[in-house]
């Protein structure tokens, strides 16, 4: 962790950008200054409304949020998750409209991040790489929903979360937080809560996954990766 961010609250999340690109002292100071502006959203509350003006650029410091589409009959499709270190509203277009709703799954703390100046090449690169990761995981979600069965979807999703949390130093290769309900799993993976429960029980019986108390424990990572042909994003970290 860079010394400019070591004393910053929730430095692990903020440090994600410094792992995606080399940031100089000026850029790190800009992040720290902007990060003093923060807001908290309670679990299950809306952070951004679909079709409304997008919020100013911000970062998830703590907690889990999601992008989703709600249908008239109340059904919800979660399109992607927003985890600590992820960015919201970083867009070259001014006064952009939010393409989806964003809501808090747990209590979420957001902080502002600066719009990079033309000479802040490191910050521009970090934002670009963060956007490329968002795109990579969105494509993975499309493939997951389109071609994987329930068993594979859950494995693929959990491995993705493991990779993403590793980038901010949360958990280990086989032990990490996963504070989602079975209903949320279903809304994300296009499954019923009953199907989610049965699949998680199967993974437990096979001694591949233990999920309890909001913590996932993987018992055979190599086998799980083989089942879904797990691929890492082709984006280098610093």
């Amino acid at each position: 962790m860079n010394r400019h961010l070591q004393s910053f609250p929730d430095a692990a999340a903020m440090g994600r950008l410094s792992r995606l690109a080399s940031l100089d002292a000026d850029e790190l100071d800009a992040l720290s200054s902007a990060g003093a502006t923060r807001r908290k959203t309670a679990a299950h509350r809306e952070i951004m409304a679909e079709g409304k003006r997008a919020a100013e650029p911000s970062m998830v410091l703590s907690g889990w949020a999601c992008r989703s589409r709600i249908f008239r009959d109340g059904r919800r499709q979660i399109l992607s998750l927003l985890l600590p270190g992820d960015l919201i509203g970083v867009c070259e277009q001014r006064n952009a409209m939010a393409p989806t709703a964003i809501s808090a799954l747990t209590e979420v703390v957001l902080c502002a991040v600066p719009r990079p100046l033309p000479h802040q090449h490191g910050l521009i690169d970090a934002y670009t790489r963060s956007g490329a990761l968002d795109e990579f995981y969105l494509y993975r979600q499309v493939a997951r929903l389109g071609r994987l069965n329930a068993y594979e979807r859950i494995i693929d999703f959990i491995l993705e979360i493991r990779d993403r949390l590793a980038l901010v130093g949360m958990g280990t290769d086989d032990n990490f937080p996963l504070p989602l309900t079975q209903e949320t799993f279903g809304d994300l993976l296009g499954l019923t809560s009953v199907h989610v429960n049965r699949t998680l029980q199967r993974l437990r019986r096979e001694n591949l996954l233990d999920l309890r108390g909001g913590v996932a424990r993987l018992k055979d990572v190599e086998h799980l990766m083989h089942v879904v042909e797990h691929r890492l994003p082709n984006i280098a970290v610093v």
Side-chain angles (χ1 to χ4, degrees):
M1 179 66 64
N2 190 286
R3 64 183 178 81
H4 289 262
L5 296 178
Q6 284 178 342
S7 61
F8 190 88
D10 307 296
M14 187 68 75
R16 178 175 180 268
L17 289 179
S18 64
R19 293 201 66 200
L20 292 177
S22 296
L23 305 180
D24 62 25
D26 173 64
E27 292 164 330
L28 291 168
D29 286 341
L31 278 174
S32 295
S33 296
T37 302
R38 54 181 60 202
R39 61 190 176 103
K40 183 183 296 184
T41 302
H44 314 303
R45 300 295 297 272
E46 188 174 74
I47 294 172
M48 187 184 301
E50 180 181 351
K52 302 297 184 180
R53 182 177 175 181
E56 287 298 303
S58 58
M59 174 188 292
V60 179
L61 283 181
S62 64
W64 293 44
C66 69
R67 298 183 184 276
S68 63
R69 178 67 54 83
I70 308 294
F71 296 90
R72 281 196 298 265
D73 60 4
R75 287 177 298 168
R76 176 178 69 164
Q77 176 63 55
I78 295 178
L79 305 169
S80 63
L81 294 184
L82 293 161
L83 308 182
D86 286 349
L87 301 177
I88 298 174
V90 175
C91 177
E92 294 183 3
Q93 179 185 351
R94 296 281 181 169
N95 301 319
M97 297 295 107
T100 69
I102 297 179
S103 56
L105 295 171
T106 67
E107 181 179 88
V108 170
V109 177
L110 301 173
C111 77
V113 292
R115 294 186 183 276
L117 299 174
H119 69 278
Q120 293 178 321
H121 302 294
L123 206 52
I124 293 171
D125 193 25
Y127 287 4
T128 300
R129 288 171 179 246
S130 182
L133 281 173
D134 289 345
E135 187 175 79
F136 175 85
Y137 292 124
L138 181 59
Y139 290 161
R140 173 176 281 174
Q141 172 74 340
V142 172
R144 186 158 50 218
L145 295 179
R147 280 293 177 262
L148 300 187
N149 60 38
Y151 183 78
E152 294 166 333
R153 288 182 199 183
I154 288 180
I155 293 173
D156 189 66
F157 165 69
I158 289 175
L159 289 173
E160 175 186 314
I161 295 302
R162 183 196 70 137
D163 295 343
R164 293 173 63 180
L165 291 178
L167 196 56
V168 290
M170 295 180 65
T172 64
D173 284 347
D174 57 6
N175 191 310
F176 48 89
L178 190 58
L180 303 181
T181 66
Q182 291 185 8
E183 180 182 6
T184 301
F185 265 89
D187 289 347
L188 178 72
L189 300 176
L191 304 170
T192 66
S193 296
V194 172
H195 206 164
V196 170
N197 181 267
R198 288 174 179 168
T199 306
L200 291 175
Q201 291 298 329
R202 176 185 170 186
L203 287 165
R204 178 178 292 181
R205 288 194 306 271
E206 294 174 348
N207 199 33
L208 293 173
L209 168 69
D210 184 15
L211 177 58
R212 66 180 74 188
V215 176
R217 297 174 179 85
L218 307 185
K219 303 299 184 65
D220 190 338
V221 174
E222 185 175 342
H223 176 73
L224 292 171
M225 294 177 70
H226 176 74
V227 169
V228 295
E229 300 178 41
H230 184 64
R231 304 171 189 177
L232 294 171
N234 188 24
I235 298 174
V237 297
V238 176

